């Protein structure tokens, strides 16, 4: 918590001591700064909005590899219909993967390029 406070991500204060025991105990309380809370809300919203495309980006490489294997098998068997179908799935999945990966990557690099505070870089 001390590091978060040093990075100005949280604000620390102490509750007033009400009993003798309170004077001995530390009554530190922490709260996110306005900026950190705004960043948290924005990230949660983006994660929720992009959950489907993020999943597509995560699973696409395995799907592409599997469909490429299907394409090769179909070529070896000289099954042109199956070859075309497997290759179409490779192209469609690759295009969706590229779109998702670009969007996902862009989301996290844009704040850094637009002057993100140096304190957030330490997190």
């Amino acid at each position: 918590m001390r590091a978060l406070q040093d990075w100005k991500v949280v604000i620390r204060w102490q509750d007033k001591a009400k009993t003798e025991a309170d004077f001995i105990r530390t009554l530190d309380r922490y709260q996110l700064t306005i900026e950190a809370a705004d960043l948290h809300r924005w990230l949660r919203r983006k994660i929720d909005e992009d959950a489907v495309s993020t999943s597509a980006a995560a699973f696409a490489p395995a799907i592409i590899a599997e469909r490429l294997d299907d394409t090769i098998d179909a070529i070896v068997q000289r099954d042109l219909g199956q070859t075309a179908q497997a290759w179409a799935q490779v192209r469609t999945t690759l295009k969706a993967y590229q779109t998702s990966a670009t969007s996902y990557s862009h989301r996290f690099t844009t704040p850094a390029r637009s002057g993100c505070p140096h304190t957030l870089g330490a997190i």
Side-chain angles (χ1 to χ4, degrees), residues 45-94:
R45 189 171 50 250
K46 284 305 210 177
I47 288 169
D48 291 344
E49 289 173 2
D50 296 334
V52 172
S53 63
T54 301
S55 296
F59 295 117
I63 293 168
I64 292 168
E66 187 176 315
R67 293 301 165 251
L68 282 172
D69 288 343
D70 292 346
T71 303
I72 292 168
D73 291 344
I75 289 170
V76 169
Q77 295 173 8
R78 297 182 186 271
D79 184 345
L80 298 180
Q82 186 63 28
T83 300
Q85 183 178 354
W87 182 247
Q89 290 177 357
V90 167
R91 291 186 55 180
T92 302
T93 306
L94 185 59

Side-chain angles (χ1 to χ4, degrees), residues 6-67:
D6 292 344
W7 295 333
K8 299 186 182 353
V9 173
V10 296
I11 300 168
R12 180 182 68 90
W13 76 93
Q14 288 194 351
D15 274 345
K16 291 183 180 178
K18 296 176 184 167
T19 67
E20 287 184 36
D22 290 344
F23 284 104
I24 297 171
R25 284 195 314 256
T26 303
L27 298 173
D28 289 341
R29 301 290 182 253
Y30 296 90
Q31 178 176 334
L32 287 175
T33 61
I34 293 170
E35 294 83 5
D38 288 344
L39 177 62
H40 175 74
R41 276 191 294 278
W42 179 81
L43 282 172
R44 290 297 309 165
R45 189 171 50 250
K46 284 305 210 177
I47 288 169
D48 291 344
E49 289 173 2
D50 296 334
V52 172
S53 63
T54 301
S55 296
F59 295 117
I63 293 168
I64 292 168
E66 187 176 315
R67 293 301 165 251

Side-chain angles (χ1 to χ4, degrees), residues 92-106:
T92 302
T93 306
L94 185 59
K95 185 173 181 175
Y97 173 62
Q98 289 169 333
T99 302
S100 296
T102 300
S103 171
Y104 186 77
S105 173
H106 181 72

